[in-house]
Amino acid sequence: MSHGLSVLFFYLLIFGLILFLFIRGISALICGNRDKIAWLKREVPKWEEKNLISAKQAEDLFQFYKIKSGEVKKTNLITTLSVIGAALLGIGVILFVAANWQEIPPNIKTILLLAVTFGTFYIGYYLTYEKKSYAVLGKSLMFSATLFLGAAIALLGQIYHVSVTDGWIIFFIWAALILPAAYFFESPPIFMLSSSLFLLWNYFYTIGDKYSNYYYPLIVFILILPFAKNDKLKSIFNITALVFAAALSVFYKQDWVILVIAAGLLIYHLLPYMNFPAGKLKETKPPVYEHFYNSCLIGSSLAFAAWSISFFLSYDKLPNYFFIIILGILFYLTYKAKSKEALFVNICSLIVWFNLFFAALYNNFSSPQSLSVPDMLLINILLGIIIYLAGLNHIKEKIFKNIYTACGFAIVLIISYILSFKNLFWQLKNLNSDYIYLCAFIVLSLIIVYLIFINLVNKKFLAKTLFYEILIMALIILASFTGFFTHNRDIYILLVMNITLLLCGFIIILQGFEKQNAGLFNSGILILVIFAFTRYFDLFWSYLDRSLFFIIIGIFILIYATLMEKQRRKIIGDMKNE
Amino acid sequence: MNKRFFLVLLFIIWLLALFGFFAFKQFTVSTGTKILLETAPVDPRDILRGDYVVLNYKISRLDTNKIPCDTNIQSFSRGDKIYVVLKKDGNAWSAQEIKKRMPDRNSVFIKGTLWGVYPPNLHLSYGIESYFVPEGQGRNIETYRGNNLAAEVITDKFGNAVLNKLFIDNKEIKFR
């Protein structure tokens, strides 16, 4: 016996031992308990019948072994364990193939592997459907067999040295072959494996050949999603995978693939509207489905956002007018479905689209000058204010209102923080008085003034914070126009942004007071602390500037506190007088 | 229809698919012509199939000024299938002609995919760029970077190619 053969024998022995222990362990886990419980279920009524035990005792016995509630929990644990075991076994075999061990000739290796694959699947089938009592073990053996099948395909690819750039073909064949097994034998792990392999196929196909892969979304829409609808994990995984595919396609400017994905998900979201009268949607659809359709809307919104980016990368001089219509439809559907997550995604994609739209307009109309970063930031801060004001307008949908206002507030806060650093962006000291910026400022400011007016008329502002909010908006609007009147607007904008940050902190603190919300109050304090901390260590300001800055703000806050104290005393005095 | 029917059906599908994959490649190996190509390798790893050697052939980059082409190079685009007619040049084979249409069955040729057009050069891949080796043994081959390393490739009458063996100094590489 040669050295190689003895090594092979040794490995086979170890492999067999592990397999035996695995099967033995799993079957003991399942059958041990199941059998005892089944036996108990059978025997206890007999004891009761023969008056060996009383009816109460029999009931106590059942309760002691938790026969009803406990069983489900244990089965879940067993299922999880056996799926993990099956997965490890499969990975082991794949790694064995990858090692490309030369002791066994390729043809023997192939035949052995095929025998193991079909044998394992058949045993799994036999245990699940013929013998029936070993269903969990049987199903995990079937799952193992689907992994062995992958190893067999990889082995063929290895023997014939299929080029790594065509390596996606292995994932595709594997995924396509095991999908029917997932259908016929209702196996969630095999279904998830197949979904993951399709995703990997798409990934390697896209990055390797850089061609659009229309087959992937079509396969998911036609062969996978209809069967994943009822299961949260399956549907979320596949919708996320589609969004991932859309995001990947952005890098290769494959606009049409992204559009197919986005449109497909939108159609899935619209399916219940097509079947039922739109108004009765909520009453007629089951709750699990509702989750699925909501995920479709979120996925579709994300994919459309990816499309707007990809569109800009492909045609950077063509403003994306089409997206206005799409965004309108998406917002309409979001309100109809009352989806918080979709609203957040769509607000984000509105901002992204607006910036890309503006950049495309600028590229189209303006001189070869590059886009001015400070001006873009100012435009975004105006957009943030508009989103905030739009949020105040919502009364009925309180959650929607909170999402809008939080997004708007966050934008104002982040951008004013960026612009509050001296010289960070203001090295571009010269104004960029392109008429295109002027137009944007005017349009956005008019919208803001209109929204402020509407909100004032309808009394949507919180009385205590109204003054500060209006002050911030007025200051920011003024600051955006300074560039068109003066040559050192940097100092104005710098001042406005610092004041804005300070006031934002105050607004949050006041709102925290008003709504008795400790979280809001603390965030306000945090904003002020970060503000003070940043200014203290700010590299762009000289010490003298900073010292003056802190003294002025300190005095300002002390005066404010004194005024409040006075007011408090007055109120207490009034109360005493009464 | 019961589960047993599905089981048999599934096994038939699996067997047919695997056999198809095998037959597609084995057809090339059994019926094709053996040719020797010159290479230059490196040594990465595939997640399913383990270590392999990347092979770059002299025919992976073709200069259309030196090799006649039946079509105007400007009309080529990425992803096009192209046929390269080969001729025996000493021990190894080299490119003789580039064709957009499938050449005469009597000649020896290989089918490639165009992945780059940089006039006057064409960059092609033939699906024979990876040679899978036992774990950790790719480095040995890598030291033979250059003229010593040659690959035996089999091409069938449709131009499909399968990488068969590697030779160092005209000696076949064996892993034991």
Side-chain angles (χ1 to χ4, degrees):
Chain A
M1 192 190 267
S2 77
H3 173 69
L5 262 178
S6 60
V7 170
L8 170 67
F9 186 69
F10 176 72
Y11 277 113
L12 277 179
L13 201 70
I14 297 281
F15 182 72
L17 198 67
I18 291 170
L19 195 66
F20 172 74
L21 285 177
F22 170 72
I23 293 171
R24 183 76 193 82
I26 292 292
S27 57
L29 255 177
I30 305 166
C31 310
N33 278 307
R34 271 258 176 94
D35 281 358
K36 271 178 205 157
I37 284 163
W39 179 80
L40 214 58
K41 266 185 183 168
R42 257 198 334 267
E43 296 296 313
V44 169
K46 283 185 200 166
W47 302 341
E48 211 185 315
E49 210 173 283
K50 297 209 166 176
N51 280 330
L52 287 172
I53 54 170
S54 69
K56 169 111 190 15
Q57 279 172 321
E59 203 174 299
D60 284 350
L61 263 174
F62 276 133
Q63 255 177 15
F64 180 74
Y65 285 103
K66 288 175 189 151
I67 281 177
K68 272 202 173 139
S69 59
E71 207 172 9
V72 178
K73 224 177 179 180
K74 200 145 250 164
T75 319
N76 276 342
L77 175 71
I78 292 164
T79 311
T80 316
L81 271 180
S82 50
V83 168
I84 292 172
L88 293 178
L89 198 64
I91 291 168
V93 172
I94 291 172
L95 285 175
F96 178 74
V97 168
N100 201 351
W101 201 42
Q102 302 282 308
E103 296 298 328
I104 322 171
N107 41 6
I108 309 253
K109 232 194 292 192
T110 315
I111 291 166
L112 263 179
L113 193 48
L114 283 182
V116 170
T117 306
F118 285 87
T120 314
F121 200 93
Y122 182 74
I123 295 170
Y125 164 81
Y126 178 77
L127 290 177
T128 316
Y129 294 102
E130 310 246 309
K131 211 169 177 198
K132 283 179 183 158
S133 53
Y134 293 82
V136 178
L137 175 66
K139 288 226 160 174
S140 24
L141 283 181
M142 283 157 105
F143 177 55
S144 285
T146 56
L147 289 166
F148 298 161
L149 184 76
I153 300 166
L155 180 63
L156 281 177
Q158 189 187 59
I159 291 169
Y160 290 105
H161 303 286
V162 172
S163 176
V164 170
T165 44
D166 300 334
W168 52 263
I169 198 140
I170 291 174
F171 291 105
F172 176 73
I173 295 175
W174 186 5
L177 287 181
I178 65 173
L179 192 60
Y183 293 153
F184 295 157
F185 303 106
E186 296 125 13
S187 165
I190 299 180
F191 193 91
M192 290 303 289
L193 178 66
S194 180
S195 310
S196 319
L197 290 170
F198 275 122
L199 176 66
L200 281 172
W201 159 57
N202 177 61
Y203 176 74
F204 285 112
Y205 184 89
T206 311
I207 65 159
D209 290 345
K210 301 188 179 67
Y211 301 124
S212 307
N213 187 353
Y214 291 101
Y215 306 108
Y216 176 66
L218 290 181
I219 285 173
V220 175
F221 286 135
I222 296 167
L223 294 177
I224 294 182
L225 277 190
F227 302 93
K229 253 193 220 172
N230 296 316
D231 190 300
K232 223 171 168 179
L233 177 69
K234 286 180 193 170
S235 59
I236 288 185
F237 178 85
N238 280 298
I239 292 170
T240 314
L242 280 174
V243 172
F244 174 77
L248 186 69
S249 300
V250 171
F251 292 101
Y252 301 103
K253 299 182 186 173
Q254 298 165 346
D255 312 351
W256 288 101
V257 178
I258 307 175
L259 217 48
V260 166
I261 293 172
L265 282 171
L266 195 62
I267 290 171
Y268 259 100
H269 173 71
L270 291 175
L271 281 181
Y273 291 102
M274 294 169 187
N275 290 340
F276 310 118
K280 287 189 178 171
L281 179 69
K282 205 153 175 97
E283 290 82 38
T284 41
K285 68 187 174 184
V288 194
Y289 280 75
E290 195 173 0
H291 190 278
F292 171 74
Y293 293 118
N294 186 25
S295 310
C296 283
L297 182 62
I298 301 164
S300 178
S301 304
L302 281 168
F304 273 120
W307 177 72
S308 75
I309 296 170
S310 168
F311 185 91
F312 177 74
L313 293 177
S314 305
Y315 318 97
D316 63 347
K317 282 192 176 175
L318 178 63
N320 194 345
Y321 296 105
F322 320 105
F323 199 64
I324 303 175
I325 303 162
I326 294 171
L327 209 56
I329 295 170
L330 287 176
F331 265 100
Y332 173 75
L333 290 172
T334 303
Y335 275 82
K336 199 138 186 123
K338 295 196 172 65
S339 166
K340 293 172 279 178
E341 300 88 348
L343 179 73
F344 177 71
V345 171
N346 283 319
I347 290 173
C348 293
S349 68
L350 172 75
I351 297 161
V352 169
W353 165 77
F354 185 84
N355 281 284
L356 297 178
F357 183 83
F358 189 85
L361 264 184
Y362 187 84
N363 287 341
N364 197 8
F365 291 125
S366 261
S367 50
Q369 244 179 341
S370 61
L371 217 61
S372 139
V373 175
D375 284 301
M376 281 314 286
L377 286 172
L378 279 174
I379 284 175
N380 276 296
I381 214 171
L382 293 177
L383 198 61
I385 292 175
I386 290 177
I387 291 169
Y388 182 81
L389 289 173
L392 287 185
N393 237 334
H394 289 67
I395 324 167
K396 276 184 191 165
E397 299 97 349
K398 208 175 173 201
I399 302 164
F400 273 26
K401 175 188 165 181
N402 290 343
I403 292 172
Y404 273 110
T405 46
C407 285
F409 207 87
I411 294 167
V412 173
L413 211 59
I414 291 166
I415 295 178
S416 59
Y417 184 71
I418 295 171
L419 291 179
S420 72
F421 287 86
K422 195 181 174 186
N423 286 346
L424 196 57
F425 283 102
W426 300 105
Q427 282 140 349
L428 299 151
K429 203 171 178 178
N430 286 340
L431 77 157
N432 202 327
S433 55
D434 259 351
Y435 72 95
I436 195 161
Y437 289 110
L438 186 62
C439 289
F441 288 144
I442 290 174
V443 170
L444 292 175
S445 302
L446 283 179
I447 296 175
I448 290 175
V449 171
Y450 169 73
L451 283 173
I452 290 176
F453 178 72
I454 291 282
N455 282 328
L456 273 178
V457 169
N458 297 333
K459 296 195 172 145
K460 300 284 172 51
F461 286 104
L462 214 61
K464 269 193 179 173
T465 52
L466 170 68
F467 170 71
Y468 303 103
E469 283 169 356
I470 301 272
L471 184 64
I472 287 182
M473 293 173 202
L475 280 174
I476 289 178
I477 290 177
L478 281 178
S480 12
F481 287 101
T482 47
F484 301 96
F485 308 119
T486 159
H487 275 283
N488 38 7
R489 63 167 176 166
D490 53 342
I491 193 72
Y492 295 107
I493 292 177
L494 200 63
L495 258 176
V496 166
M497 292 307 155
N498 279 293
I499 294 171
T500 303
L501 268 180
L502 206 60
L503 289 180
C504 280
F506 275 130
I507 289 175
I508 298 260
I509 291 174
L510 282 173
Q511 286 196 344
F513 259 129
E514 188 95 329
K515 295 174 184 169
Q516 291 294 308
N517 184 333
L520 270 181
F521 183 81
N522 290 336
S523 336
I525 299 284
L526 188 69
I527 292 172
L528 293 183
V529 169
I530 291 175
F531 173 69
F533 194 76
T534 323
R535 282 298 83 83
Y536 192 86
F537 291 104
D538 200 336
L539 294 172
F540 302 111
W541 295 49
S542 64
Y543 284 107
L544 198 62
D545 287 345
R546 268 186 278 172
S547 114
L548 271 175
F549 182 82
F550 275 99
I551 289 171
I552 290 169
I553 289 179
I555 291 173
F556 171 71
I557 292 178
L558 281 177
I559 291 172
Y560 183 72
T562 320
L563 285 175
M564 278 181 75
E565 173 75 13
K566 208 174 161 187
Q567 205 178 10
R568 191 179 67 95
R569 277 202 189 148
K570 198 181 150 227
I571 292 170
I572 293 173
D574 287 350
M575 278 158 78
K576 270 184 186 165
N577 287 341
E578 277 171 20
Chain B
M1 278 190 281
N2 62 1
K3 293 281 175 197
R4 206 174 179 93
F5 170 76
F6 284 133
L7 181 77
V8 175
L9 185 70
L10 188 73
F11 277 11
I12 292 171
I13 296 172
W14 284 8
L15 270 179
L16 282 180
L18 288 173
F19 181 75
F21 189 175
F22 158 78
F24 181 74
K25 290 292 171 188
Q26 191 57 39
F27 171 79
T28 306
V29 173
S30 311
T31 67
T33 317
K34 285 182 185 170
I35 54 174
L36 210 59
L37 298 169
E38 293 164 39
T39 63
V42 277
D43 180 24
R45 179 172 279 194
D46 179 76
I47 50 168
L48 289 180
R49 290 173 289 167
D51 291 4
Y52 64 95
V53 179
V54 175
L55 300 169
N56 198 8
Y57 299 92
K58 288 193 175 168
I59 57 166
S60 298
R61 218 189 83 189
L62 298 174
D63 184 346
T64 48
N65 287 341
K66 289 177 186 159
I67 300 154
C69 180
D70 70 345
T71 322
N72 182 9
I73 186 169
Q74 301 297 344
S75 72
F76 285 132
S77 60
R78 252 170 46 87
D80 283 356
K81 295 272 180 263
I82 282 179
Y83 298 91
V84 179
V85 180
L86 301 164
K87 67 161 194 276
K88 197 156 187 186
D89 192 6
N91 204 8
W93 293 64
S94 60
Q96 187 186 20
E97 211 182 340
I98 303 165
K99 291 200 168 194
K100 183 117 189 186
R101 290 191 154 195
M102 195 188 280
D104 182 18
R105 292 273 162 84
N106 297 325
S107 56
V108 175
F109 61 94
I110 185 167
K111 186 165 77 183
T113 308
L114 203 60
W115 60 266
V117 184
Y118 308 97
N121 289 323
L122 295 176
H123 291 209
L124 295 135
S125 64
Y126 302 94
I128 50 169
E129 283 76 13
S130 314
Y131 187 84
F132 289 88
V133 295
E135 193 174 356
Q137 305 222 18
R139 298 265 162 220
N140 304 339
I141 298 174
E142 204 183 350
T143 51
Y144 286 90
R145 189 189 287 279
N147 293 329
N148 299 325
L149 189 70
E152 185 185 271
V153 173
I154 306 174
T155 65
D156 64 19
K157 57 182 175 180
F158 305 106
N160 296 319
V162 168
L163 177 54
N164 197 35
K165 288 169 185 165
L166 283 188
F167 290 90
I168 294 173
D169 294 332
N170 295 325
K171 257 170 70 185
E172 189 193 336
I173 302 178
K174 294 218 174 194
F175 304 97
R176 281 286 148 146

